[in-house]
Amino acid sequence: MENFEFINAIVLLSNFVIVPALSYGSQLALATLSLTIIYGVLRFSNFAQADWMSFGTMATILFTWLFQSIGITAGILPTALLALPFAIIVTALFCLLIDRSVYSFYRKQKSQPIVLMIVSVGVMFILQAVVRFIIGPNDRKFFDGEKYIVHALDFKNYFGLEEGLTIKSTQLITVIVALVAMISLFYFLQKTKLGKSMRAYSNNEDLALLSGINPEKIVIVTWIISSILITTAGVLYGLDKSFKPFTYFNLLLPMFAAAIVGGIGSPIGAVIGGYVIAFSEITLTYAYKKFFVYLLPENLEPSGLMQVLSTDYKFAISFIILVIVLIVRPTGIVRGKII
Amino acid sequence: MSKFLSCTNMTGGYGGEDIIHACDIEVDKNQIVVIVGPNGAGKSTAMKAMLGMISLKEGILMLDGSDISKLTPQDRVAAGIAFVPQTMNIFSELTVEENLEMGAFLREDNVQETIEELYNLFPAMKDKRNQLAGELSGGQRQQVAVSRALMTRPKVLMLDEPTAGVSPIVMKEIFERIITIKNSGVAIVIVEQNAKQALNIADFGYVLVGGENKFSGEGQELLNNQEVRKSFLGG
Amino acid sequence: MNEELRAPVAFTVMAILLAIVGFTQSWSVSLSVINLCIISSIMAIGVNLQWGYGGLFNAGVMGFTALGGLTAVLVSHDPIYEAWDKAGIGIVISAIIFVLTVTALLFVFRNIENKQIRNTLIILIIVFGLIGINNFYGPSIDIIESINPAKTGFLGGLGLPIIFSWLIAAVVAGLVAWVIGKITLRLRSDYLAIATLGISEIVIAVVKHEDWLSRGVKNVSGLDRPVPYEIELQQSEWFLNLVERINFSKLEAMQSLSSRQDLLNDLVIDSSGIFVKLCYAGLFFSFLLLIFYLSQLALNSPWGRMLRAIRDNEEAASAMGKNIFAQHLQIFIIGSAIIGIAGAMLTTLDGQFTPGSYRPLRFTFIIWLMVIIGGSGNNLGSIFGGFFIWFIWIEAEPLSIGFMNMLAGGLEYDNPLRMHLLGSAAHLRLFIMGLLLLLALRFMPRGVIPEKIQKK
C-alpha cells in the first residue's frame, strides 16, 4: 500500500508538472534559440521575435486550412506539420524582405544595438497589425488528428492506480520535433562550414571579414534559421494550447528571460534557459497539497494548498528569476556574449 | 622592374586629418620588410591602408603588376594578401582547427593538407587542435592567428605587432617561424615595436616618423645607422 | 525647414488638428483628447529625461504609471477601518518580516565572503522569511478580502485629497526607481530595457492580483476629484448665470419660454461637462508647465551639462572621474518620478483605478514613440510628441474605419471581404504606429523638434 501511494504521487507530479513543463520548455527553448541567434549574429535584442512567432503560426494555420479544404491531412498526425515547411518559407521570405527594407540600412550605418532594438519595436507593431488584419485577434485551434497517446482513464484502469497520466500527442510531437530541431541546429553550427562561419562572424566580426566570410550571406542564413525555429516553436505551442496573437506576444517576456538566464548569444544557454523558465513557472505555481497527501502519513498532511506562488504570478516568475540572475550572475548560466 | 607589392605615395587617415603622408612601402617575394617608428608614427595606419581598411586620398598599390588600389579588404584577401591584426586576431570561441578552417573560408579545394603543414610548422597547435582558441596561452594564440592568415596560402602576409605582449623566448620563436614562412616564398610585412629584434631578421626596413618615410634600407644597415640608433633604438 | 521655426509650426499644426476635432466631432471630445495628451506629454518628458539626456532605455513606463495610479488610490480612498481593525496588524507584521528578510539578505550578500556559508544562509533566510510571511499574510488577506467584497474588500487609503497623491506618487515611483536602478543600471542598455520591462511586469502583476491592496481587477472606482462634479455645477446659481450670459443671443432667439428653458437645460448639461474637462485641462497644463520649467532648469545647470557629456562620451566622462552610475541613478529616479506623477494624474482623470488596463509592452512603446518622434533630448519635442502621437492613437480608429470603408467602397453590404476589412480597421492603428516609428527613425532620426546642438 505504501508503495502505491508513492507511485500515485509520482504519477500526479508527472501529469501536472513534468510532462507539461517538458513540452512548454521545449517550445520556449526553440523560440529562445531563435532570439539568441539573432542576438549573437545581428547583435540586437529583437522585440519583434514573439510577433514573428505569431506570423509563422498564422501562416501555418492558413496552409493547414488550405490542405484540409482540398482533403489533404496527415492521418493521425496534425495537418499543421505538413503545412509547417510552407509556412517557414513564407515567414523566411517576409523576414528577409523586412531585413532588406528596414534593418540593413542600420547595419550599414553601424548603428548602436539600441537603435536596432527600437527599430525592432516598429517592426513589432507592424507585424501585430498584419497578423491581426489577416487572421484576427481571436483564439484559434488548428489541431486535428489523434489527440491522446495515453489517456488518464485508461492509465488508471490499466495500472489500477488512483492517479491517471495523460500524455497528449502534441506533447510528444513537441518534444520529438524540438529535439530534432535542436540536434540539427547544433550539427549545423558545429559541423558545417556555413555554421562555423556563422559562429566565427558572431565571435569576431572583423576577423571574419578578413577571412573572406561574406556578412550578407551570414545575415540571410541567420534570418532563415530564426524563421525555422520561431515558426516551429509557434506551431508546437499552438497545437498544444491554441493560437492567439496576444498570448504569443506575451511569450516575448519569458523568451527574453530564458535567453538572459541561459546566457544571451549562447545556443546551449538558450535551451537551458528555456527549460529553466518553463520548469520554474510550473513548479512554483503548482499546488502540492495532493502530492503530499499521498506521501505523508495522515497526521502530517498539509492544510494549505502548498503552493509557493499563486498562478496569477506565472508570468512574473520568469522575471523574478531574471532579476535574480542579473544580480547574482549577469552573464547567465552559460557565459553569454558580453554584458 | 618594380617589387611584388609596391605601395607608393600613400596619403590619408581615418576621415579627419591625414595620418600618413606620401608614404612608400615595397616588398618582394622571399623578403621580410619591417616597419618601425615611434608611437603614433602611422605604422599601423600604413598597414591598414595597404589592406584597404581605410580609404586613401592618394596612392597607388600594385600587387604582382595589377592595380589593387580600389579593391575592398575582402577582395584583397582573395587577391592574396593576408593580415594578422594585433588584437582580436583569433576566433576565441572556436577551436584551433576551426580557426584554421575559417582562415581557408574562400578556398574550395581540400584544406586538410595546408592544415597539416601548419601543424608541422607549429607543433604545439596540433595537440590543442580541439581546444577553444581563447583558452590558449599568449604565444599559442599568436601561432593560431598567424596560421589562420596562412590558410589562404597568401602571397603577402602582413603582421601588426606579432610579438606584442609575449615573452622574449616566444618572440624569438615567432621570428624564427616567420623566417621559415618567408623561405616558402611569401612576402612579409611586419609592423613592430621591438625594433631591434625585428630589424635583425629584416631584409629591408622602413622607419616612419610623423607618417612619412624617414629612413629606409636593409635591416643591418638601419641597425648600424647612428641616427636611427640614437632616435629609436636607444643608442 | 529652419530648426528655429519647427517648434512653433509643429504646435500650430497640433492646435489646428485639435480645433478640427472640436468643430467636427465636439469640443467635449477634443478636450478629452487634450487632457490625455497633456498626461502623455508629462510621461514623455519623464522618458525623455532618461533616454534623451541620460541615454537610458527604460521600458518600465507602465509599471511606474501603475504605481502612480495605485498611489492615487491609497492616498485618496477612505480607509476601511473594519479591515484595519480585524487584519491590519497581520499585514503590518508581514511587512515587517518582509523588510527584515530583505535586510538580512542584503547583509549576508555583502558581508559574508565564504560562498558555501553565504548560500546556505541565503536559502535559510528565504525559507524562514516565506514561512513567517505566510503565517500572517495569508489569513490576514483572507479576512480583508472578505469584508464587504462587493464594495471594498481592501484596506483602503488615507482619505486625503487626491491632489496630494500626485506628489506622493513622485516619491513612491522615485523610491521604486532607486531600487530598480541599483539593480539594473550597471547593465548594458538593451539589458536595461529588458530588465525594466520585466520589473514593470512584476509591479503590474502585484497591483493586479493583490486584492487587499488595490482590489486588483475588481477596480477601485468613485475616486475623489480635485474639480467640481457636473451635477453640482448644474445646480449652482453662478454656473447657470454664466451659461445664460454666454449663450445670451442664442436664448434670446427662442420664441417661447418653455423652449428657451429646454435649450438652457441642454446647454447647462453640455457646458458642465466641458467646464469640468476645462478644469482638469487647466490643472494638468499648469503641472505640465511646472515640470517642463523645472526640467529645463535642471538640464541647463552644470548637472545637466555633465549628464549630456556622459551620454555623448561615456568613456571620456569616466576617464575624467565622473561617477556615471550615480548620475544615471539620479536621472533614472527623476524621470521615473515624473512618470509616477503622470500615472497619478491619469487615475485622477479617470476617477477610477483599473489595473487590468496597464498593458506594459504596448503603451510603454507608445510613450517611446512620442519621445522619438518629438525629438529625443528636447523636452519641447516630447510635449509635441505626447500631443501628436496620442492624437493619432485616438483618431486613427475613426480614420481607419473611414479608410476601410473607402477600400470596400464597391462591395455589397454583407460581402465577407467588406466585413473583414471593417472588422480589422482597429488594427490599422498598430500599423500606423509601427510605420511612424520606422519612418521617423529612418528619415528624421532627430525628431520633429530636434535637440539643440550645444555650443562648445
Side-chain angles (χ1 to χ4, degrees):
Chain A
M1 208 50 212
E2 272 300 297
N3 259 336
F4 270 6
E5 296 280 272
F6 180 72
I7 294 172
N8 270 323
I10 296 297
V11 170
L12 181 78
L13 206 62
S14 312
N15 199 26
F16 290 102
V17 177
I18 298 174
V19 172
L22 260 182
S23 76
Y24 174 47
S26 310
Q27 292 147 9
L28 200 55
L30 284 187
T32 309
L33 267 175
S34 77
L35 190 72
T36 225
I37 280 182
I38 298 269
Y39 186 91
V41 179
L42 305 177
R43 296 190 169 73
F44 70 98
S45 308
N46 189 357
F47 271 70
Q49 206 61 6
D51 290 294
W52 280 117
M53 191 163 161
S54 288
F55 184 87
T57 313
M58 176 196 74
T60 311
I61 294 177
L62 296 179
F63 277 110
T64 306
W65 288 346
L66 178 73
F67 287 165
Q68 286 169 340
S69 70
I70 53 175
I72 302 175
T73 59
I76 57 165
L77 291 175
T79 314
L81 290 185
L82 285 183
L84 182 59
F86 298 91
I88 287 174
I89 293 170
V90 171
T91 311
L93 286 177
F94 195 40
C95 257
L96 292 174
L97 178 76
I98 296 269
D99 182 73
R100 268 305 94 122
S101 52
V102 181
Y103 293 118
S104 72
F105 173 80
Y106 300 95
R107 241 190 343 265
K108 277 184 200 120
Q109 301 240 306
K110 296 206 181 299
S111 300
Q112 296 268 317
I114 194 91
V115 174
L116 277 156
M117 184 176 115
I118 299 174
V119 171
S120 79
V121 171
V123 174
M124 171 190 104
F125 275 117
I126 288 187
L127 282 178
Q128 284 181 0
V130 168
V131 170
R132 282 164 178 75
F133 183 78
I134 296 178
I135 203 167
N138 302 324
D139 226 347
R140 305 240 174 225
K141 290 203 185 295
F142 56 102
F143 175 80
D144 55 1
E146 192 61 42
K147 191 155 188 194
Y148 293 103
I149 292 176
V150 178
H151 197 280
L153 214 60
D154 301 336
F155 186 89
K156 272 195 235 179
N157 293 339
Y158 189 82
F159 289 101
L161 289 170
E162 273 177 64
E163 285 302 324
L165 176 67
T166 305
I167 299 180
K168 289 192 284 179
S169 54
T170 50
Q171 289 168 330
L172 187 70
I173 292 172
T174 292
V175 173
I176 292 173
V177 173
L179 269 180
V180 170
M182 285 176 211
I183 291 169
S184 334
L185 177 70
F186 285 111
Y187 179 83
F188 171 78
L189 288 178
Q190 298 295 332
K191 299 289 174 204
T192 65
K193 191 174 173 189
L194 194 55
K196 285 177 193 172
S197 67
M198 235 171 101
R199 278 164 55 220
Y201 180 84
S202 158
N203 180 212
N204 189 337
E205 193 178 332
D206 291 332
L207 197 61
L209 295 180
L210 282 174
S211 307
I213 294 171
N214 179 357
E216 282 309 302
K217 193 168 158 192
I218 301 286
V219 168
I220 291 174
V221 173
T222 304
W223 283 116
I224 292 175
I225 292 178
S226 158
S227 309
I228 295 174
L229 292 168
I230 202 72
T231 307
T232 310
V235 170
L236 294 175
Y237 187 89
L239 284 174
D240 202 11
K241 297 172 178 93
S242 68
F243 169 71
K244 188 181 182 196
F246 190 66
T247 315
Y248 274 48
F249 178 39
N250 277 334
L251 286 175
L252 181 65
L253 304 175
M255 270 157 66
F256 269 125
I260 294 180
V261 167
I264 198 158
S266 149
I268 302 254
V271 174
I272 297 175
Y275 285 108
V276 165
I277 295 291
F279 270 89
S280 330
E281 269 189 24
I282 294 177
T283 50
L284 291 181
T285 53
Y286 179 67
Y288 289 93
K289 181 177 182 179
K290 217 173 164 193
F291 177 72
F292 284 111
V293 167
Y294 278 122
L295 281 187
L296 298 174
E298 235 161 83
N299 50 353
L300 280 179
E301 276 171 14
S303 55
L305 283 171
M306 298 295 291
Q307 193 179 18
V308 181
L309 273 171
S310 119
T311 34
D312 298 334
Y313 288 102
K314 205 164 191 164
F315 267 118
I317 286 175
S318 44
F319 277 103
I320 297 171
I321 297 171
L322 173 65
V323 171
I324 295 171
V325 166
L326 286 179
I327 299 172
V328 180
R329 193 183 162 92
T331 47
I333 297 171
V334 177
R335 241 165 240 297
K337 285 255 102 169
I338 9 147
I339 112 142
Chain B
M1 180 66 199
S2 72
K3 298 276 182 75
F4 185 66
L5 172 67
S6 80
C7 312
T8 42
N9 198 26
M10 294 191 295
T11 303
Y14 297 96
E17 265 178 63
D18 288 349
I19 296 176
I20 49 173
H21 312 276
C23 188
D24 299 330
I25 289 162
E26 293 186 320
V27 61
D28 224 336
K29 285 193 171 179
N30 289 314
Q31 199 183 34
I32 297 177
V33 163
V34 173
I35 307 172
V36 295
N39 275 330
K43 304 187 297 282
S44 291
T45 312
M47 185 167 270
K48 280 183 184 150
M50 292 162 79
L51 286 157
M53 290 162 82
I54 57 171
S55 50
L56 286 175
K57 286 181 185 160
E58 282 173 59
I60 293 172
L61 291 84
M62 303 288 288
L63 177 72
D64 201 9
S66 54
D67 189 354
I68 58 163
S69 315
K70 298 279 176 278
L71 294 187
T72 63
Q74 279 139 284
D75 290 338
R76 291 185 204 200
V77 172
I81 299 181
F83 174 50
V84 182
Q86 184 189 349
T87 55
M88 307 257 298
N89 51 18
I90 52 166
F91 296 111
S92 56
E93 286 169 34
L94 270 58
T95 65
V96 170
E97 185 141 329
E98 284 170 341
N99 265 278
L100 301 187
E101 288 170 26
M102 285 303 108
F105 187 79
L106 288 174
R107 283 174 55 184
E108 296 293 336
D109 54 340
N110 189 2
V111 299
Q112 208 54 43
E113 211 175 292
T114 320
I115 292 181
E116 291 302 327
E117 276 170 28
L118 287 166
Y119 283 153
N120 289 335
L121 187 64
F122 300 111
M125 259 180 7
K126 189 168 186 174
D127 306 331
K128 312 227 162 170
R129 59 201 292 173
N130 290 322
Q131 264 192 36
L132 291 188
E135 294 169 354
L136 302 182
S137 70
Q140 288 166 340
R141 283 164 180 246
Q142 221 42 283
Q143 297 181 359
V144 175
V146 172
S147 306
R148 184 209 59 82
L150 287 175
M151 284 301 295
T152 48
R153 282 187 301 201
K155 296 168 196 151
V156 182
L157 177 65
M158 297 198 192
L159 302 116
D160 190 1
E161 304 204 14
T163 64
V166 301
S167 69
I169 303 167
V170 176
M171 189 200 300
K172 194 163 165 262
E173 196 190 328
I174 291 176
F175 281 143
E176 276 170 18
R177 297 291 174 255
I178 290 176
I179 294 172
T180 317
I181 298 165
K182 172 191 85 165
N183 291 336
S184 69
V186 179
I188 295 175
V189 184
I190 310 174
V191 163
E192 255 307 340
Q193 284 285 353
N194 298 315
K196 256 186 203 168
Q197 294 85 338
L199 285 174
N200 257 324
I201 63 157
D203 296 300
F204 202 82
Y206 292 93
V207 179
L208 251 55
V209 178
E212 289 174 40
N213 288 59
K214 184 96 179 189
F215 305 98
S216 59
E218 286 178 16
Q220 285 306 322
E221 193 185 311
L222 285 178
L223 276 174
N224 296 331
N225 183 320
Q226 282 303 320
E227 218 175 325
V228 175
R229 287 178 76 96
K230 232 187 269 166
S231 36
F232 310 112
L233 306 176
Chain C
M1 197 192 310
N2 185 341
E3 291 198 354
E4 292 290 306
L5 279 176
R6 281 193 181 190
V9 170
F11 280 104
T12 313
V13 169
M14 201 59 238
I16 293 172
L17 284 175
L18 286 166
I20 290 175
V21 171
F23 281 115
T24 57
Q25 289 177 282
S26 80
W27 287 103
S28 180
V29 171
S30 181
L31 275 171
S32 300
V33 176
I34 288 177
N35 280 331
L36 285 168
C37 283
I38 297 175
I39 294 177
S40 309
S41 298
I42 294 179
M43 286 190 199
I45 289 183
V47 171
N48 184 39
L49 288 182
Q50 296 174 339
W51 168 247
Y53 291 91
L56 303 173
F57 196 113
N58 173 10
V61 176
M62 273 306 113
F64 292 109
T65 314
L67 274 179
L70 178 66
T71 310
V73 172
L74 295 185
V75 167
S76 73
H77 200 282
D78 289 328
I80 312 295
Y81 292 109
E82 200 188 344
W84 276 107
D85 281 347
K86 285 188 181 156
I89 192 90
I91 289 290
V92 172
I93 291 177
S94 17
I96 292 173
I97 297 177
F98 179 76
V99 172
L100 285 179
T101 313
V102 173
T103 324
L105 278 179
L106 281 179
F107 179 81
V108 168
F109 208 77
R110 292 218 178 118
N111 294 310
I112 308 241
E113 296 288 329
N114 185 318
K115 263 199 171 170
Q116 224 163 356
I117 299 180
R118 189 169 73 183
N119 290 346
T120 327
L121 276 177
I122 286 177
I123 291 171
L124 279 178
I125 293 171
I126 291 178
V127 169
F128 278 106
L130 276 180
I131 292 174
I133 289 174
N134 265 330
N135 244 341
F136 293 99
Y137 175 77
S140 308
I141 60 168
D142 285 344
I143 297 172
I144 295 171
E145 286 171 13
S146 68
I147 295 169
N148 196 0
K151 280 203 168 146
T152 57
F154 76 131
L155 281 173
L158 299 172
L160 298 172
I162 198 162
I163 203 131
F164 283 126
S165 72
W166 297 5
L167 294 177
I168 300 174
V171 177
V172 171
L175 276 176
V176 173
W178 177 71
V179 175
I180 296 178
K182 278 270 182 191
I183 302 175
T184 58
L185 282 181
R186 290 187 199 278
L187 305 173
R188 292 166 25 136
S189 47
D190 45 350
Y191 270 42
L192 176 68
I194 296 164
T196 45
L197 187 62
I199 292 172
S200 94
E201 190 84 21
I202 296 173
V203 167
I204 290 168
V206 168
V207 174
K208 249 187 193 166
H209 301 302
E210 296 304 310
D211 287 14
W212 60 272
L213 181 69
S214 64
R215 289 198 90 223
V217 285
K218 286 184 287 181
N219 302 342
V220 181
S221 51
L223 289 177
D224 194 21
R225 263 190 186 182
V227 297
Y229 286 85
E230 287 88 346
I231 197 86
E232 285 170 14
L233 284 175
Q234 288 157 20
Q235 287 160 357
S236 51
E237 197 67 30
W238 65 268
F239 188 72
L240 291 178
N241 289 337
L242 184 73
V243 174
E244 213 172 344
R245 201 172 318 147
I246 291 171
N247 297 292
F248 187 72
S249 54
K250 248 193 218 170
L251 289 169
E252 273 301 276
M254 283 294 155
Q255 298 298 330
S256 71
L257 202 64
S258 70
S259 62
R260 188 174 159 170
Q261 193 57 43
D262 286 346
L263 179 65
L264 183 61
N265 274 342
D266 287 348
L267 284 170
V268 164
I269 290 172
D270 276 356
S271 318
S272 66
I274 290 180
F275 184 81
V276 168
K277 283 176 182 165
L278 270 176
C279 287
Y280 272 123
L283 202 55
F284 290 161
F285 195 68
S286 31
F287 249 77
L288 173 64
L289 287 183
L290 183 68
I291 288 172
F292 175 69
Y293 174 72
L294 291 177
S295 310
Q296 290 299 96
L297 209 62
L299 293 169
N300 291 324
S301 69
W303 178 81
R305 279 200 292 278
M306 179 145 98
L307 204 61
R308 281 195 297 273
I310 290 176
R311 177 198 63 187
D312 293 337
N313 194 339
E314 206 159 293
E315 274 168 37
S318 171
M320 281 159 63
K322 310 280 186 208
N323 186 345
I324 294 177
F325 178 72
Q327 286 274 322
H328 279 174
L329 190 60
Q330 287 161 14
I331 197 72
F332 188 70
I333 292 174
I334 295 173
S336 304
I338 293 177
I339 300 170
I341 296 177
M345 291 166 98
L346 185 64
T347 302
T348 308
L349 177 67
D350 289 341
Q352 56 175 356
F353 181 57
T354 52
S357 62
Y358 295 99
R359 306 256 288 268
L361 279 168
R362 187 162 300 166
F363 288 110
T364 294
F365 289 124
I366 288 176
I367 307 293
W368 268 89
L369 195 54
M370 294 169 182
V371 175
I372 289 168
I373 299 247
S376 323
N378 187 328
N379 284 327
L380 214 52
S382 297
I383 295 180
F384 170 73
F387 271 81
F388 181 68
I389 295 299
W390 187 260
F391 181 84
I392 300 268
W393 180 249
I394 293 299
E395 293 297 325
E397 201 159 337
L399 286 180
S400 307
I401 292 177
F403 175 71
M404 288 298 185
N405 259 323
M406 210 171 70
L407 265 187
L411 299 170
E412 297 281 323
Y413 179 73
D414 55 353
N415 181 306
L417 182 61
R418 179 177 180 279
M419 305 295 271
H420 180 80
L421 283 177
L422 284 181
S424 312
H427 311 309
L428 208 60
R429 72 175 176 188
L430 290 174
F431 191 82
I432 295 173
M433 290 294 136
L435 200 63
L436 266 178
L437 180 56
L438 291 183
L439 290 177
L441 283 170
R442 180 77 161 258
F443 300 107
M444 214 200 277
R446 293 176 62 223
V448 174
I449 309 176
E451 182 183 2
K452 287 198 187 86
I453 309 283
Q454 303 286 325
K455 286 187 191 103
K456 292 270 162 76

